[in-house]
Amino acid sequence: MKRLYGVLAALIMALVLMMSMTACGGSEDAADAGAPEDTAAQEEEQPADTRAVVKTIEGVDEDLGERLPLMIDSITLYDDGTVAVIPLDELKKNEIKGDEEAVYPFEESGEVSDIYVVDYGNGGYRTIIALMKDGTVSAVNGRALVEDHIFAVLDTVGGRDDFTSIETETEEDGTTITAITEDGESVVLDYSLNFDDPEEEN
């Protein structure tokens, strides 16, 4: 009888020990399974911005003279070809959704190689011109930017893909925007920009 009790006690102890080990193993597995999720959540909360700044245009609305304000604080070109515009006032109200700080007007146009803020015409209007990495030119509609406070982008301005730089030439009757090709040819972009003349109201 004593032997029977001894065997039963041994079996009960073995069973308790096995249950304890299983519970501990389950807790460790759960902890291990949760660790990657916690790390991933932290990475989502604090994404690393590895972009390098290539060019920054600041003071866009300073020293305006006869120019009209664009309601832009700064424009930044990054090495990945993205262009971030920090808007102000009405432009910010119209273009910023949620808690974003910047607008990326050329996001759907492609990768940008260089960026310019240039005068055009003789009414104090300006526009933002983007020289794309594929040699094309994209431009923000200056009238929509100044009067409607929105970004409307025109792509493939001039209909060519061999542009290397943008220049402006100011004369008595106004300012002309010119794109320079790989062969050194000067192409006037004013006719291709297709902006409505601010002085021609219906």
Side-chain angles (χ1 to χ4, degrees):
M1 194 71 168
K2 289 182 180 179
R3 180 178 294 178
L4 179 61
Y5 286 140
V7 171
L8 287 174
L11 287 172
I12 292 171
M13 288 182 64
L15 182 61
V16 170
L17 182 61
M18 287 176 59
M19 291 177 63
S20 299
M21 291 178 64
T22 304
C24 290
S27 298
E28 289 176 2
D29 291 343
D32 291 341
E37 294 178 4
D38 293 342
T39 303
Q42 290 176 1
E43 288 178 358
E44 279 185 24
E45 289 175 5
Q46 299 178 348
D49 191 347
T50 58
R51 301 178 299 177
V53 174
V54 174
K55 181 177 183 179
T56 301
I57 303 174
E58 297 179 324
V60 176
D61 283 349
E62 295 178 3
D63 302 321
L64 288 175
E66 297 181 357
R67 297 184 182 97
L68 298 170
L70 299 183
M71 297 187 182
I72 290 174
D73 179 64
S74 65
I75 303 171
T76 302
L77 170 63
Y78 294 95
D79 62 349
D80 65 352
T82 58
V83 174
V85 178
I86 307 297
L88 300 170
D89 305 323
E90 294 301 318
L91 182 61
K92 182 176 181 178
K93 290 179 183 178
N94 292 339
E95 292 289 346
I96 290 293
K97 304 295 185 284
D99 57 356
E100 297 94 343
E101 294 183 358
V103 180
Y104 295 83
F106 301 102
E107 190 172 26
E108 298 181 2
S109 303
E111 296 183 5
V112 178
S113 174
D114 204 350
I115 195 79
Y116 311 81
V117 176
V118 297
D119 298 336
Y120 73 92
N122 58 7
Y125 282 74
R126 292 176 292 163
T127 186
I128 303 170
I129 300 283
L131 177 64
M132 313 304 289
K133 290 187 177 181
D134 63 4
T136 62
V137 167
S138 294
V140 172
N141 185 316
R143 185 173 186 183
L145 182 59
V146 170
E147 297 185 0
D148 300 326
H149 313 302
I150 59 171
F151 285 110
V153 176
L154 306 174
D155 293 322
T156 321
V157 176
R160 299 177 63 158
D161 61 1
D162 59 349
F163 294 123
T164 59
S165 63
I166 303 294
E167 297 179 356
T168 58
E169 184 178 353
T170 302
E171 298 179 352
E172 291 183 2
D173 58 346
T175 301
T176 299
I177 304 171
T178 303
I180 310 301
T181 68
E182 295 172 352
D183 299 329
E185 181 183 352
S186 297
V187 178
V188 176
L189 298 182
D190 294 45
Y191 312 111
S192 301
L193 288 170
N194 199 27
F195 297 155
D196 294 332
D197 186 343
E199 298 180 357
E200 291 180 5
E201 301 285 350
N202 292 333

